Amino acid sequence: MVNNLNNDVIVKNDPSVMNAITIDCVIFGFDKGSLEVLLIQHGEGISKGKWGLPGGWINKKESIDNAAHRLLYELTALDHIYLEQLKAFGNPDRFPLRRVITIGYYALIKREDYSIQPGFTASDAKWYKINQIPDLIYDHSEILTYSLKHLRDRVRQAPIGFNLLPEKFTLLQLMHLYEEILGIEMDKSNFRRKILHMKLLVALDEKQQDVSHRAAKLYKFDSEIYTKLTEKGFNFEF
Amino acid sequence: MVNNLNNDVIVKNDPSVMNAITIDCVIFGFDKGSLEVLLIQHGEGISKGKWGLPGGWINKKESIDNAAHRLLYELTALDHIYLEQLKAFGNPDRFPLRRVITIGYYALIKREDYSIQPGFTASDAKWYKINQIPDLIYDHSEILTYSLKHLRDRVRQAPIGFNLLPEKFTLLQLMHLYEEILGIEMDKSNFRRKILHMKLLVALDEKQQDVSHRAAKLYKFDSEIYTKLTEKGFNFEF
DNA sequence: ACAAAAGTGTTGACAATACACCCATGT
DNA sequence: ACATGGGTGTATTGTCAACACTTTTGT
């Protein structure tokens, strides 16, 4: 399932597919305090053995957003994923065989909802910590760098970080997420005040289980509240 | 010069050109207190007489950014323009004849540097005030709406508004620009304090000429200062 | 003198930061 | 009892918005 997404395996002549445009996805996850990216190893073709971003071709009859969702579903078996277009990457020589422009997307997924199925044949899929990324094929490093920068900007201006966490989370987990993504240290007390003051979180009647210290209260993000607040002019900012 | 940019005139079979991807540019200008967009009227083809965004095809050997710059130069004869990619638009039926994906760009130009040359034959190019836009071909309204939203976001987070003003401007001109783009009213005194406090502007030893009231001091934007400040962690924000 | 816009000063409300401290719980 | 993280309180400083006021200049 994974390896049919290697977009250099075959130069497509399938007429139901656009043959000069691909989609590449940067899929972010968050696990044990680290921001990670899902990479796949190409099993065949000119870049056999090398790692790259999961991607694929666009069908003639689907929108590009649809194509991205479809590819993501084919890869992770996850639906209703947070997904946004980054931008198009179009250096004339980015793809060695011929001129192919790619449209970058990035997705945020809850790691708890997803377990990797290793691909067929020689292909492999693996999570890499953001500071331990191997050399990538084509211009995929550039795409990844761009998406990381974009994520850092976005996460400050819209409440999208929640998409990386489980449904229920503690305030400190949320803070650690921000610290990891932004690469800064934050003050516990001030973070609590700020995030609670926004009233985007719903406090649950539940606490952490099986922790070797005082259990923290669990919260969840309420996107309805957020929608209502933005309509009133509220602006998320970190 | 203008009408060869109408991207529906001929379905290109030229092998030196990518034939399933175009570029469309939203070109913003600012004149007499109004935000405006440059539109062109198609002279031939299926959408003859209709207005749309200037756009064109991508040469096989040029990057997409280059293509956008080239098209912009061909259209406005202006060089060194502020230009940024918006995103790709790819609904399967956005273009009536066949599947074409377009990459949107937006540009900010100083109206004083530019005077429209009317196109050949029946084509025309014209500035439209942002709230008097006619019906546009294809999905160009969507692209314009998106770029306007994007401009409003961007202008708050980076000092790009200056690209719409003359080299030398007064603080009130700058404020009116922000008011027009953001659609809000601002306080003169607070605006001055805020913008001067950022120390991005250089006060010139010059004043307005030929005004029938007290002449205001002229300022210019110094992008070097901005670069240095951002390196130190400064963050433009409005 | 007065209109029109330039430019300054003051205030109160509120948010950001730093930091000290107490609380609950498992080992 | 102590380590670990959960959670509260406070004092200081800075920023934002509202608005009243003075200055300059052309007519």
Side-chain angles (χ1 to χ4, degrees):
Chain A
M1 183 215 282
V2 163
N3 66 340
N4 68 349
L5 297 166
N6 302 355
N7 58 23
D8 72 328
V9 172
I10 303 156
V11 173
K12 290 268 176 182
N13 281 315
D14 185 341
S16 69
V17 151
M18 308 284 286
N19 68 5
I21 312 176
T22 54
I23 284 181
D24 284 305
C25 298
V26 182
I27 304 174
F28 289 108
F30 185 69
D31 191 44
K32 299 190 195 82
S34 293
L35 186 64
E36 301 184 329
V37 171
L38 186 63
L39 298 177
I40 63 162
Q41 190 177 37
H42 285 210
E44 311 170 33
I46 54 164
S47 40
K48 180 171 175 173
K50 295 198 183 148
W51 291 88
L53 299 172
W57 302 93
I58 302 168
N59 293 337
K60 273 238 164 86
K61 303 255 166 165
E62 70 187 346
S63 74
I64 51 177
D65 283 359
N66 265 357
H69 275 289
R70 172 181 55 78
L71 289 165
L72 212 53
Y73 180 77
E74 287 174 7
L75 181 69
T76 65
L78 288 182
D79 224 336
H80 307 295
I81 294 294
Y82 181 85
L83 179 71
E84 234 181 80
Q85 191 191 130
L86 273 174
K87 68 164 200 158
F89 294 82
N91 281 339
D93 53 356
R94 58 170 294 282
F95 187 74
L97 299 179
R98 60 200 169 102
R99 180 81 194 264
V100 176
I101 290 171
T102 196
I103 302 173
Y105 275 80
Y106 75 104
L108 306 181
I109 78 170
K110 302 183 201 303
R111 282 289 300 273
E112 60 166 2
D113 292 352
Y114 172 63
S115 62
I116 301 180
Q117 293 114 349
F120 299 107
T121 66
S123 274
D124 198 7
K126 216 156 120 183
W127 290 100
Y128 278 90
K129 286 195 207 312
I130 213 63
N131 47 13
Q132 296 172 8
I133 304 287
D135 270 357
L136 300 183
I137 53 168
Y138 319 147
D139 58 350
H140 285 192
S141 299
E142 185 193 339
I143 298 175
L144 179 52
T145 303
Y146 183 90
S147 70
L148 196 55
K149 187 176 161 301
H150 184 82
L151 177 62
R152 282 196 241 269
D153 287 348
R154 270 308 269 166
V155 88
R156 292 172 150 270
Q157 286 152 22
I160 62 171
F162 305 99
N163 294 290
L164 289 163
L165 292 177
E167 275 304 305
K168 304 169 183 180
F169 51 83
T170 71
L171 293 185
L172 243 67
Q173 282 169 354
L174 182 60
M175 185 175 104
H176 291 325
L177 174 70
Y178 274 88
E179 289 183 326
E180 166 74 2
I181 294 179
L182 299 175
I184 56 175
E185 297 227 316
M186 293 176 148
D187 182 280
K188 204 176 33 156
S189 153
N190 297 334
F191 182 87
R192 292 178 73 84
R193 204 193 339 272
K194 196 165 172 182
I195 197 83
L196 288 178
H197 183 243
M198 292 184 192
K199 300 188 188 299
L200 295 172
L201 300 184
V202 178
L204 302 173
D205 269 339
E206 254 178 288
K207 298 202 163 188
Q208 279 180 310
Q209 300 293 325
D210 305 316
V211 285
S212 66
H213 55 265
R214 175 174 174 184
K217 193 168 224 178
L218 293 172
Y219 292 82
K220 67 171 190 179
F221 171 70
D222 190 322
S223 59
E224 271 190 41
I225 297 180
Y226 175 64
T227 310
K228 276 182 201 160
L229 282 175
T230 42
E231 280 164 10
K232 283 185 201 159
F234 166 79
N235 234 329
F236 185 90
E237 223 167 75
F238 243 102
Chain B
M1 183 216 282
V2 163
N3 66 338
N4 70 346
L5 296 165
N6 301 356
N7 59 21
D8 73 326
V9 173
I10 303 157
V11 173
K12 290 269 175 181
N13 282 316
D14 185 341
S16 70
V17 152
M18 309 283 288
N19 69 5
I21 312 177
T22 54
I23 284 179
D24 284 305
C25 298
V26 181
I27 304 174
F28 288 109
F30 185 69
D31 190 46
K32 299 191 196 82
S34 292
L35 186 64
E36 302 185 328
V37 172
L38 187 62
L39 298 178
I40 64 164
Q41 190 177 38
H42 285 209
E44 311 169 32
I46 54 164
S47 38
K48 178 171 174 171
K50 295 198 184 147
W51 292 88
L53 299 172
W57 302 92
I58 302 168
N59 293 337
K60 271 234 165 88
K61 304 255 168 166
E62 70 186 346
S63 73
I64 51 177
D65 284 358
N66 265 354
H69 276 289
R70 172 180 57 78
L71 289 165
L72 211 52
Y73 180 78
E74 288 174 7
L75 180 69
T76 65
L78 288 183
D79 223 336
H80 307 294
I81 293 293
Y82 181 85
L83 179 70
E84 233 181 82
Q85 191 191 128
L86 273 174
K87 69 163 201 161
F89 294 82
N91 281 339
D93 52 358
R94 59 169 292 283
F95 187 75
L97 298 180
R98 60 201 167 101
R99 180 80 194 265
V100 176
I101 290 171
T102 196
I103 302 173
Y105 275 79
Y106 75 104
L108 306 181
I109 80 172
K110 301 184 202 303
R111 282 290 300 272
E112 58 165 4
D113 293 351
Y114 172 63
S115 63
I116 300 179
Q117 293 113 351
F120 299 107
T121 67
S123 273
D124 198 4
K126 215 155 123 184
W127 290 100
Y128 278 90
K129 286 196 205 314
I130 213 62
N131 47 13
Q132 296 173 8
I133 304 288
D135 270 355
L136 301 182
I137 53 168
Y138 317 148
D139 57 352
H140 285 193
S141 298
E142 185 193 338
I143 298 175
L144 179 54
T145 302
Y146 183 89
S147 70
L148 197 56
K149 187 174 162 301
H150 183 82
L151 176 63
R152 282 196 241 269
D153 287 348
R154 271 307 269 165
V155 90
R156 292 171 152 271
Q157 286 151 24
I160 62 170
F162 305 99
N163 293 290
L164 289 164
L165 291 177
E167 276 303 304
K168 305 169 183 180
F169 51 84
T170 70
L171 293 185
L172 243 68
Q173 282 169 353
L174 183 60
M175 184 175 104
H176 290 325
L177 173 69
Y178 274 87
E179 289 183 326
E180 167 73 2
I181 294 178
L182 299 175
I184 55 175
E185 296 228 318
M186 292 176 151
D187 182 279
K188 200 175 36 152
S189 153
N190 297 334
F191 182 86
R192 293 178 73 85
R193 202 191 344 271
K194 199 164 171 183
I195 197 85
L196 289 177
H197 184 246
M198 293 184 192
K199 299 189 187 299
L200 294 173
L201 299 184
V202 178
L204 302 172
D205 269 341
E206 256 179 283
K207 298 202 163 188
Q208 280 181 310
Q209 299 293 326
D210 304 317
V211 284
S212 65
H213 56 267
R214 177 173 174 183
K217 194 168 229 181
L218 292 172
Y219 292 81
K220 67 171 188 178
F221 172 68
D222 190 322
S223 58
E224 271 189 40
I225 298 180
Y226 175 63
T227 311
K228 277 182 198 158
L229 283 175
T230 41
E231 278 163 11
K232 284 185 199 157
F234 167 79
N235 233 331
F236 184 91
E237 223 168 74
F238 243 102

